[in-house]
Amino acid sequence: MGLRAYVARRTIELAISLILFMALMFYVFRLMPGDPTAMLIEETAFTSEMREQLRRMWGLDRPLHEQFVIFMKNLLRGELGISFIYQKPVADLIFGRKMLNTLALLIASHGMALLIGMVLGVWAAWRRGKVLDIASLVWALVLHTIPVFWLGLMFLLIFAVHNKWFPLSGTITPARDYAHVLEYMGDYLWHLALPAATITLIRLGGDFLIMRNTMVSVIREDYVTAAIAKGLPEKIVVWKHAARNAMLPIVTLAGLDMATVVSGAVLTETVFSWDGIGRLLYEAAIYRDYPVLQGLFFVITLVVLLANFFTDLLYAYLDPRVRYD
Amino acid sequence: MKTATILEVENLKVYYFTQRGVVRAVDDVSLEIDKGELVALVGESGSGKSTLAYAIMRMVPPPGRIVSGRIVLSGIDITSLSEEEVRKLRWSKVSMIFQGAMNSLNPVMRVGDQIAEVLLYHGAVYDVEEGRKIARELFKLVGLDPERVMSYPHELSGGQKQRVVIAMALALNPDLVIADEPTTGLDVTTQAKIMDTIRDIQRETGISVLLITHDLPLVAEVSDRVYVMYAGKIVETGDVDKIFYTPQHPYTKGLIGAVPSHIGPKKRLIALPGEPPDLRSPPPGCRFHPRCSYAMPICKRKEPPRTGTGPRDFVECWLYAGEEVKKVA
Amino acid sequence: MEAVSVKRYRRFERVIEFWRAYSRTRLGLIGLGILLFYTLMAIFAPWIAPYDPKARVGGSFEPPSAEHPLGTDEMGRDILSQVIYGTRVSLLVGVLAALLAAAIGSAVGMVSGYFGGLVDDLLMRITDLFLVIPGLPFIIVLSVVLGPSIWNIILVIAIISWPSVARLVRSETLSLKERLFVQASRVSGATDLYIIVHHILPNVLPIVAASMVLTITSAIILEAGLSFLGLGDPTKISWGTMLYFADRQGALLSDNPYYIIAPGIALIGIGLAFVFVSYALDEVVNPRLRERER
Amino acid sequence: MDKVYRSLLAFLVLAVMLASSMGPITPIVKAEKEYYKLEFEVLVPEYDPVRIRAAELLSQYAAQVGIKIHVRPVDLNYEITKTQDEHDFDMYIIGWSSKNMPMYISSFIKISEDRPGGNNIEGIRNETLDKLAHMLDKTVDPEKQKEILWKIQEILADQVPYVGIYTRFLTQVWVKNLKGLHKEYWGYASPMTWRTAYFEGKKGGTFVVILADDLRTENVLLARSIYEDMVWDALYDTLVYLDDNYSPKPWVAYKYEWSPDGKVWTFYLINNATWHDGKPLTADDVVFTFEYLVKNNVPGFRFVKYVEKVEKVDDYTVKLYLKEPYAWLLYDLADTPILPKHLWENVQWNVSKAPLIGSGPYKWSKRVEGEYIELVKNENYWRRDMPKMDKLVFRIIKNFNAALLAMEAGEAHFYVYYIPTSAVDRVKKNPNLHLNLERGVTFYYLGFNLRRPPLDDVWLRRAIAYLIPKKEVVEGPLQGLGEPCTWYISPYFGELSNPEVPKKFPWIGSIEPNIEKAKEMLAKSDKYEYKDIDGDGILEAIPKAKPTTTKPPATVTVTTTETASPSPTPTGTAAERVVTKTVTKTVTASVTVTAPAPTSPATAPAGKGLSTLAAIAVIIIVIAAILLFLRRRAG
């Protein structure tokens, strides 16, 4: 099958599963006990009439199937609705600063983890059986079992409380005047350091292990032995012959892992009060802000599906044996 | 006719130091190959043939190590060289056609480039294009369409891949080519064609070849001399006719007896009973004695001495110890 | 009768053989040792723990001392006792969630693999759907739907973990059903249910068990994560809820950082133990992984 | 093919099993029984260890009397829905300040509020209480208000539909050199604080305040959290404000008065107030604000439903006509921002970005979402002496630890929310920080569902009230940073709180669990006989035969001459208002709680759950089928 037909088919499949998934989530959200207006009673002057009024305004007084039809119509038109608590379009809410923050965190940490994990994995596999390899193996296993939020707390304890090297929370220093964009960037990166380091370390364990294990089995492949026998310099053997082949599984896994990646942000963002979509999702669940929940799941699922799709394309590029089917 | 010796292995010991004990994969082996000779190394799988081959390339995989002995390749003792020096010798002096050759091609690289890179990194050419040009020539030599240099391995058939590998082995015009089971995994007709190609090229270029195989009919057909290896030791060596018509060692006899006759119906005449020994704890004395039908009490106690059977030939067996060669009917 | 005892003897022999292979792996033994330690701690918590984990026995955030080796929490409760009691919930959640996931996964996998065709396609599409669902967000929503209780957490973790088991079991079933003894059984008129229960199930169990060990680890860590987000059951002491309250109540800035450190170490310990065991199991079950010798 | 159908069936069964196991816990409908087991569930918000501990301790003591109480921590949203909307609960613990505030208490006890979503969560159906509540809302005279409130407190204490457990101190922290703060509901983060706070020995400066949550919208009318209120308080002015003693004082309205019937209110505005854009603030703006709120029926402003019309007398005088007297108008106005007519005329009330021009002491400067809000001094503020600071910055720090560090580092000057008890010691040790420990209005209480027998028995409720370890909770988990609650109106409101309550009603006054008294209470019941029938250690309540002669309902003769009497406010003209009441002392004894109202399941949750689950199952199958179809077609 040609590339174009393949992409067309995958796109249709993707769109349909996304829409159906959203239909499913619509009902799951409404299954949550509780009410979007319930949290408002914290405001002293709120009466039940006012809650009723809000429910009407938000269309919650209509029968469920009617709400569903409205929701689906909006979704097909590309509208995600209006947030109950923020009173603004969900799209604006998600694709604003919060999305940028989350993306910055995820890309920084996962990029680093992938890079370091791959290099270390290749290195350890090449020197397998040696002391350092075994030591790093044990470390990777330990890192693999550390809960991400606990590591975050430890980092805070050591680097923000004990030594005040890094800030405890937030993405920038509040109310600071920046003379230059670079200064702003610096401040942002300074705040990003701890949360990104946390995720990087946690992911590093997994990425390292996968890379090392595939590398170890690739090293046993005859073409690597052949490459050595051919008298090629070690660097060429390792990177051009072994690592390139060993990269295939980790690339696939990185794509398939998108779901976990996006999820993991919730915990890290909680620990570091990082104002991203993970926090938004948690708050939306607490407040039963259905439109925001739907919007977030839509975006996250879309990202995951797209990641899978692009992984397949990338895989086909990396491995000439793969055909589109 | 004593010509230049290309390879000389002397009292080589290669052990694997595993967690569960020391595997004596190659134990005190000596071997010689002259220029233009096609020497066969035969033996069951697990007898240490491949390890010997890797040792000659000086690429024994860990936890294996060359413990003692010398490997002299074109006059250079490679056991004492540094890794970088060895790297430069590899392929330029000795190249290899690997067991399961189709797997020794990198699946994500064009086959031409895999040949070109050899030339490139040994300084034979200065860019990939030039390398590909030479690759095309080599492809013609081994009977391949030169345009195939731009193909990926999965686009070629098994026989074609095999030819690519042979072409690659010839790229730097080495003194010695080690062919480790070069035809396994191919169908019979292709096997024959490939072997013919190797033989032709060998005759044409005068390259020495060390053929490692357990395919005895093939050995009988193409080789000049034969080394028989059992459990890490060379038990017998001699000219191909000598080995096939007057085998001395009971193991050699067994091997040849076990060969399906390529004339008559295919069946095992005398099967070798039992299994090759565990090289972590080989039997004391002669390593073959548990399977040997001629075994004597001494075989269990002491290792057999080497008995010369010709200028360069010998056999290691108590049957012939201290005696002149006895003809065994 | 005799046949049964022979069968039983064989099984016993197999267990012995398995244990021999297992006990050769050093990591596996270490892991098993740690697990034993945790299990004993969970069972005998009331006797081991120096204090009632919920009672106020000291000032708030007391640093470690002779009376309180790990200090006290914000309400003056002994942290060591809480960590010891916390083992119970973590182990319970981990094991039960993994069991449930294994049960659902094996059922779906076996049905899918055995019957094939439309059923297989349908079940596998559903499995794919679950694999694509963003895990933690989905779990958060589900936990809110179900309310905070350890039983719901178990259920939620199982719901998110079964698809991978299903895929594993399906592929194994596919190869099993082509085997001679299954074919023979079918020819001799055994019902599908009989074949699944008597032939397929016993043969997929080992791989399910091996994969379960890792599921337990992730379930334990997941429970801690959920509890840390405040979705756990706060009346039950678990390491996750401890960390949740530690974070909320400002343990970071207090005099007793062990309130945060201790539960985390406990979590890592148990996680490592299971990882070691699964590592060892892999080596025993999949001999291919053993270092090749030439 | 047969095999396919069978396995499909198997799959469906599996799906249904899965789905049904996911269903919400369906309420067990208790049938009319011979007796009731004293086994209850108490709902507690899951995030607060203090309340959870309080519930656990109560459960321990109750067990000693033979009452089984299960502690069920739930998500707050769930708790509110279960209690307020669905009335599906036995007991619950929650913190709700309004419940012990004079201006809100009436809404919690009116019979009309006993409906799904209504504030009368417990299901109090007491005619006297209802009448008093209605009367309270129309009584403006403080003396009369006090009289009614005292009565209400006594009836509540007698009937115990809910019972206070503890109140927390206002544990607010600010830097030592910050002065000039003023108190309101939420402590010192009051509108007046923004206007008068200053740094000792320093002129101007930047005042950094830490909020635990960001603005959700940039629209003052959509303010839903105290944090949002705090920001808008600095940007907008109000007609009146509440002083430290919690009484309304003139502000933008320098004088106000009301007609003898309390229905016509006249506000006289100062004439030098301007909007941040330079336009003067006039009667037109005030009229516009009232009319705008009324026209759009904006949620959050209670007085709106009483407004009949608004009239501009001249540029600086406004008359407000009410449909009926409303006691809390001034309190509501203290919370109502005056909106600039020229900017809001064509703006919808519920947009997320509304004009950010007010007339308050600070002007909007900038905001980084999730990080901070910066306001700058309004140089043209009508009070020339205010504000004292040059800049007011609200930093958003959700994580308390980070907030405390910022305070310690001197990067922030005021933490507006209550700090966790655990941080108190650390703050006390810091020489630069001031920890304010003062009684607040918070009210953490245990509520009963009076609709559910045997909780309809006042003696049982009194018994349970006796068992609440108020002192232990305050000294234990709360670490002394609060007080045991022995009231229904917080002593924070001074005279309005009835000091007799704890003495006259020992079950309210008791702060330590009293097993003996609790047993005594149970023994006194005339409704049920409490004994352990099945010997499982848990008591059963056996209904006693209904007394043949039911006492006549309380005679509460409330004669109100409908002449409202305004309170003596600074400018208020004291008018006469007579409230003649013949509420005899016997009221307390004779008022009975009416039979439980038919349980009002707003929506049967079970039914809703099942149908939704069915829908989900169908959708899953459809999704799978369509994907399957696509795969098949693609080959």
Side-chain angles (χ1 to χ4, degrees), chain A residues 34 48 51 53 171 174 288, chain D residues 75 81 85 115 117 297 371 395:
Chain A
S48 49
R51 285 181 60 191
Q53 204 183 331
T171 61
R288 314 293 193 266
Chain D
D75 162 49
T81 319
D85 298 351
R115 61 193 159 79
N297 195 14
E371 300 294 342
R395 271 182 78 163

Side-chain angles (χ1 to χ4, degrees), chain D residues 442-505:
Chain D
T442 59
F443 186 63
Y444 297 89
Y445 67 94
L446 171 74
F448 302 102
N449 190 350
L450 271 53
R451 304 169 193 89
R452 277 202 184 154
L455 286 170
D456 56 351
D457 182 11
V458 67
W459 293 103
L460 173 60
R461 300 198 297 270
R462 286 172 185 170
I464 295 176
Y466 260 126
L467 295 169
I468 303 175
K470 301 177 184 176
K471 194 170 160 223
E472 197 178 337
V473 171
V474 169
E475 288 175 356
L478 205 56
Q479 289 166 46
L481 296 171
E483 282 175 286
C485 238
T486 55
W487 58 76
Y488 281 89
I489 294 284
S490 169
Y492 184 85
F493 297 98
E495 292 217 305
L496 297 182
S497 174
N498 187 341
E500 298 295 309
V501 163
K503 287 172 230 157
K504 268 169 75 179
F505 308 96

Side-chain angles (χ1 to χ4, degrees), chain B residues 186-203:
Chain B
L186 296 175
D187 60 84
V188 184
T189 29
T190 321
Q191 274 184 18
K193 279 187 201 156
I194 294 290
M195 244 9 260
D196 287 348
T197 312
I198 292 180
R199 187 74 193 159
D200 290 350
I201 291 170
Q202 195 251 340
R203 287 199 179 122

Side-chain angles (χ1 to χ4, degrees), chain C residues 102-121:
Chain C
I104 301 174
S106 319
V108 172
M110 285 192 302
V111 167
S112 186
Y114 183 80
F115 292 108
L118 193 64
V119 183
D120 180 30
D121 273 342

Side-chain angles (χ1 to χ4, degrees), chain D residues 33-52:
Chain D
K33 284 196 292 190
E34 294 293 304
Y35 58 85
Y36 305 95
K37 200 177 246 315
L38 291 193
E39 191 170 1
F40 308 105
E41 188 177 72
V42 56
L43 302 177
V44 202
E46 38 88 31
Y47 58 84
D48 183 5
V50 178
R51 273 173 267 179
I52 292 168

Side-chain angles (χ1 to χ4, degrees), chain D residues 96-108:
Chain D
W96 204 352
S97 308
S98 330
K99 206 133 176 167
N100 76 152
M101 287 160 85
M103 58 289 306
Y104 297 114
I105 196 168
S106 64
S107 77
F108 293 95

